[in-house]
């Protein structure tokens, strides 16, 4: 054998050995990523999917009036074709846009006997799609190990778990943002402008879910950075077209505002709570200190206030280890076209939110989700080094941060909050220990007794909630002027309106009921009911445990209907 033949054999053997090593390493990465994905699915099932909502307070549709109006709008769209809420016989505009209620309609349509579960099933489905989407996205860009890590990070983040089992729009809004960012990334990486146009459509439609997502629109600067050698004219046309597509996709939100409130920038808040809208500018630098204080308490796990996250979970949105891991990810970022557009959109959104008048941690949930790809960068590097059996203080430290992020330790849970908690442990153990829904049980009891005798129902339960759940012939309204819709300058309902509603019902020979929640002051609550001359309120026996039901009964004498106050 010649020296040349020996050299060729050596090179071939080296290439084969290298190829075999690379193949084994890739197989190990795929096995690890599948293992992480399975862990993510198991955790999601344990913390979100296995919840028996009938054993929780969730069916009360807290917080008021957000979740109630989402559910009422969905029912109204399905039955009447318009996103309204009903109080008495009045069909009124909601505070909130109809994007999320529209997403709940498939569940509402196909599970009519479990209609109250539609918002929860919708968020569970969106959460599952987010998990699967994270995994598939990284597989599509040939980074399988990162896909498994991303799925596990998403599944274990407290904000994801909390709103995955909620009846709120926060998860769907954040999912729309994540989808838009993924489309832009793929569009730039694969040089497909169509994907950036798709991202513009997703972002535009997302305004019907959460209007503040308009501040993510700078992401579309990616079209101006698109890697293609074209003429200035064609470049300008594409930049203009992507803005036009975004504007058209966003137009339903502004058209609906114009039709309902007379101006594209007016919302249901101006209709229902004008004093709040007039109190101060929606965006002001005066809001920065409290916003920063709230964010710092979240980052350092030192929050102590009750928040929406306490209604569906532990009260925590994000854990310190995840923030540190995301910050480390900045060192791994290569500044390219996508990174420029992504950071621009994120910075604009954060700056707008930090000056916003509402101090609420869940407004930052889209940013928390967008931090997952940052956190994946160092975790992917550290685990890859570990699979190659290369260990150092750096990759061991990063792996420790990743594990702490997944188990959510140390953190705070509950209210009053307790420190030193593990979010993963609390999430799994939270599922079925939260009591029953008083409002849902009350209306179910009432419906079971009087289903065949429809009429007017005065209640201290939110009328949009009752009108969405009770059989169609029933009409629910507040007992008096003490309700959540008493601040509007355009629409008013007080004690005189309650008396008029009752008189109209009696004039049509309709039964009149009062449905009250059990309390220590039931007698005082009954005294709030309107007094009609010739009629008296009589409590139904055996209903005081789940609900206090009172029926307006005609007296033996005096047929007059003159009201008394």
């Amino acid at each position: 054998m010649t020296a040349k033949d020996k050299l060729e054999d050596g090179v071939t053997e080296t290439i084969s050995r290298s190829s075999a090593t690379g193949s084994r390493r890739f197989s190990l990465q795929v096995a690890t990523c599948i293992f992480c994905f399975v862990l993510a699915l198991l955790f999601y099932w344990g913390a979100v999917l296995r919840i028996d909502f009938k054993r929780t307070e969730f069916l009360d549709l807290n917080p008021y009036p957000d979740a109630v109006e989402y559910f009422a709008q969905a029912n109204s769209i399905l039955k009447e074709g318009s996103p309204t809420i009903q109080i008495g016989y009045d069909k009124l505009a909601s505070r909130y846009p109809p994007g999320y209620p529209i997403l709940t309609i498939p569940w509402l349509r196909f599970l009519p006997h479990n209609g109250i579960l539609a918002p929860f099933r919708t968020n569970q489905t969106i959460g599952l799609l987010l998990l699967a989407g994270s995994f598939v996205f990284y597989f599509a860009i040939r980074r399988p190990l990162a896909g498994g890590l991303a799925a596990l990070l998403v599944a274990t983040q407290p904000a994801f778990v909390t709103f995955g089992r909620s009846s709120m729009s926060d998860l769907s809004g954040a999912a729309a943002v994540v989808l838009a960012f993924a489309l832009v990334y793929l569009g730039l990486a694969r040089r497909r402008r169509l994907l950036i146009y798709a991202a513009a459509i997703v972002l535009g439609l997302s305004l019907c879910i959460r209007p503040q997502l308009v501040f993510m629109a700078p992401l579309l600067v990616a079209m101006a950075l698109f890697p293609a050698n074209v003429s200035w004219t064609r470049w300008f046309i594409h930049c203009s077209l992507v803005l036009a597509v975004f504007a058209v996709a966003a137009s339903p939100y502004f058209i609906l505002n114009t039709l309902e409130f007379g101006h594209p920038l007016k919302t249901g808040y101006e209709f229902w709570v004008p004093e709040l809208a007039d109190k101060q500018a929606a965006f002001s630098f005066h809001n920065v200190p409290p916003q920063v204080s709230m964010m710092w308490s979240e980052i350092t796990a030192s929050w102590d206030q009750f928040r929406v996250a306490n209604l569906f979970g532990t009260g925590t949105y994000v854990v310190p280890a995840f923030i540190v891991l995301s910050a480390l990810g900045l060192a791994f970022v290569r500044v390219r076209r996508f990174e420029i557009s992504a950071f621009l959109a994120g910075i604009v959104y954060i700056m707008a939110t930090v000056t916003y008048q509402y101090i609420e941690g869940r407004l930052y949930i889209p940013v928390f989700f967008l931090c997952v790809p940052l956190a994946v960068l160092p975790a992917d590097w550290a685990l890859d080094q570990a699979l190659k059996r290369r260990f150092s203080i750096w990759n061991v430290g990063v792996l420790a941060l990743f594990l702490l992020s997944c188990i959510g330790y140390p953190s705070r849970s509950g209210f009053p909050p307790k420190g030193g908690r593990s979010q993963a442990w609390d999430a799994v153990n939270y599922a079925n220990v939260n009591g029953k829904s008083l409002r849902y049980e009350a209306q179910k009891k009432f419906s079971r007794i009087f289903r065949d005798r429809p009429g007017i129902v005065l209640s201290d339960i939110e009328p949009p909630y009752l009108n969405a759940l009770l059989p169609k012939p029933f009409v629910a309204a507040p007992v008096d002027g003490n309700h959540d819709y008493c601040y509007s300058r355009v629409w008013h309902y007080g004690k005189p309106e309650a008396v008029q509603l009752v008189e109209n019902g009696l004039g049509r020979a309709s039964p009149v009921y009062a449905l009250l929640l059990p309390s220590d002051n039931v007698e005082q609550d009954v005294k709030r009911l309107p007094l009609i001359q010739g009629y008296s309120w009589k409590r139904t026996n055996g209903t005081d445990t789940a609900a206090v039901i009172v029926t307006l009964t005609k007296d033996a004498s005096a047929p007059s209907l003159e009201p008394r106050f």
Side-chain angles (χ1 to χ4, degrees):
M1 180 180 292
T2 64
K4 181 179 179 180
D5 292 335
K6 291 181 179 179
L7 179 61
E8 289 178 352
D9 290 343
V11 170
T12 301
E13 184 180 352
T14 301
I15 293 175
S16 299
R17 189 182 303 114
S18 176
S19 176
T21 302
S23 178
R24 285 196 299 270
R25 186 181 302 126
F26 182 77
S27 299
L28 187 57
Q29 287 185 351
V30 171
T32 304
C33 97
I34 292 175
F35 175 73
C36 290
F37 183 57
V38 171
L39 278 182
L41 292 178
L42 289 175
F43 181 81
Y44 188 65
W45 175 83
V48 178
L49 296 182
R50 76 180 178 93
I51 290 181
D52 182 0
F53 288 102
K54 294 179 181 179
R55 295 177 59 188
T56 70
E57 296 176 354
F58 293 173
L59 300 189
D60 274 350
L61 295 185
N62 285 305
Y64 303 119
D66 305 45
V68 167
E69 292 195 16
Y70 289 137
F71 181 63
Q73 282 190 82
N75 278 272
S76 177
I77 293 170
L78 184 61
K79 296 174 183 176
E80 302 167 10
S82 59
T84 60
I85 62 174
Q86 182 178 349
I87 303 177
Y89 288 102
D90 296 334
K91 303 296 180 65
L92 302 160
S94 170
R95 286 174 172 86
Y96 313 105
Y100 173 64
I102 290 173
L103 294 177
T104 68
I105 287 178
W107 279 108
L108 199 62
R109 179 184 293 276
F110 295 115
L111 293 176
H113 58 291
N114 282 330
I116 189 69
L117 297 180
F120 305 100
R121 300 302 185 209
T122 301
N123 280 329
Q124 287 178 326
T125 304
I126 292 172
L128 197 59
L129 291 175
L130 264 175
L131 283 182
S134 302
F135 181 75
V136 171
F137 172 79
Y138 279 102
F139 242 99
I141 63 174
R142 296 174 177 264
R143 294 182 59 192
L145 186 58
L149 298 177
L152 193 55
L153 272 176
V154 170
T156 54
Q157 290 310 296
F160 175 77
V161 173
T162 295
F163 290 96
R165 57 192 179 197
S166 77
S167 50
M168 302 286 287
S169 66
D170 301 89
L171 185 65
S172 56
V177 171
V178 171
L179 176 59
F181 273 68
L183 289 170
V184 167
Y185 179 90
L186 293 174
L188 291 174
R190 299 184 176 181
R191 301 196 176 194
R192 297 287 187 270
R193 282 195 176 92
L194 187 60
L195 294 176
I196 300 180
Y197 283 116
I201 294 173
V202 171
L203 277 180
L205 292 175
S206 71
L207 268 64
C208 284
I209 302 175
R210 306 287 294 185
Q212 68 267 25
L213 296 181
V214 68
F215 296 110
M216 287 292 185
L219 177 69
L220 301 179
V221 76
M223 185 63 83
L225 303 174
F226 193 82
N229 294 323
V230 296
S231 64
W232 282 98
T233 303
R234 190 173 179 184
W235 174 85
F236 181 76
I237 289 174
H238 279 297
C239 292
S240 301
L241 276 178
V242 77
L243 294 179
V245 168
F246 172 75
V248 171
S251 62
Y253 171 73
F254 298 103
I255 291 172
L256 187 62
N257 284 346
T258 303
L259 293 176
E260 291 187 334
F261 311 113
H263 192 281
L265 297 181
K266 283 190 175 181
T267 68
Y269 279 98
E270 281 83 1
F271 182 87
W272 288 111
V273 199
E275 291 83 0
L276 187 60
D278 296 343
K279 185 178 179 181
Q280 60 180 358
F283 299 92
S284 171
F285 286 109
H286 295 292
N287 301 321
V288 173
Q291 288 277 9
V292 171
S293 177
M294 181 274 298
M295 292 173 62
W296 181 250
S297 70
E298 190 68 44
I299 292 172
T300 59
S302 59
W303 57 271
D304 57 2
Q305 302 295 317
F306 188 86
R307 65 262 295 269
V308 172
N310 286 107
L311 299 173
F312 306 104
T314 62
T316 294
Y317 292 109
V318 67
V319 295
F322 176 75
I323 296 297
V324 175
L325 192 62
S326 301
L328 285 177
L330 294 173
F332 291 79
V333 171
R334 294 170 57 191
V335 181
R336 295 165 296 188
R337 293 176 175 88
F338 170 74
E339 284 75 13
I340 292 172
S341 56
F343 278 108
L344 178 62
I347 290 170
V348 171
Y349 182 85
I350 291 174
M351 294 306 296
T353 308
V354 85
T355 59
Y356 195 41
Q357 61 180 328
Y358 294 105
I359 317 298
E360 179 59 68
R362 59 195 177 98
L363 298 179
Y364 296 90
I365 287 179
V367 178
F368 296 156
F369 282 9
L370 293 176
C371 284
V372 169
L374 282 177
V376 164
L377 291 175
D380 183 31
W381 166 80
L383 188 55
D384 182 59
Q385 292 295 305
L387 293 177
K388 295 176 182 177
R389 298 182 180 180
R390 299 174 185 171
F391 296 96
S392 68
I393 189 173
W394 298 109
N395 65 340
V396 171
V398 169
L399 288 175
L401 278 175
F402 175 78
L403 291 176
L404 288 174
S405 298
C406 291
I407 65 176
Y409 181 86
S411 185
R412 292 167 75 82
S413 291
F415 187 81
K418 298 179 181 178
R421 303 294 299 174
S422 164
Q423 287 297 311
W425 176 263
D426 287 341
V428 172
N429 286 277
Y430 180 86
N432 298 318
V433 294
N434 213 26
K436 284 191 175 183
S437 301
L438 298 180
R439 287 165 174 79
Y440 183 74
E441 293 296 324
Q443 68 80 29
K444 187 170 68 173
K445 179 84 171 180
F446 176 84
S447 181
R448 185 166 59 248
I449 297 174
F450 297 104
R451 178 179 294 275
D452 298 328
R453 287 175 283 170
I456 293 171
V457 184
L458 301 183
S459 180
D460 55 0
I461 302 173
E462 287 69 16
Y465 181 87
L466 289 178
N467 283 316
L469 287 175
L470 292 176
K472 183 63 176 175
F474 285 93
V475 174
V479 171
D480 52 23
N482 184 18
H483 52 82
D484 290 333
Y485 299 89
C486 61
Y487 304 104
S488 176
R489 295 171 184 164
V490 179
W491 182 86
H492 180 74
Y493 181 97
K495 202 160 189 178
E497 287 76 17
V499 171
Q500 185 178 6
L501 181 66
V502 170
E503 287 184 335
N504 289 340
L506 293 175
R508 293 193 298 268
S510 296
V512 179
Y513 310 97
L515 174 61
L516 306 172
L517 291 174
S519 71
D520 296 333
N521 299 314
V522 170
E523 296 302 328
Q524 293 297 322
D525 294 336
V526 172
K527 290 180 181 179
R528 292 170 53 196
L529 297 171
L531 300 178
I532 306 296
Q533 188 171 357
Y535 291 79
S536 58
W537 294 96
K538 293 186 178 179
R539 291 170 64 169
T540 303
N541 294 329
T543 63
D544 289 358
T545 55
V548 177
I549 301 175
V550 190
T551 305
L552 188 62
T553 306
K554 188 175 182 179
D555 295 336
S557 59
S560 174
L561 290 180
E562 296 182 5
R564 294 188 292 115
F565 296 97

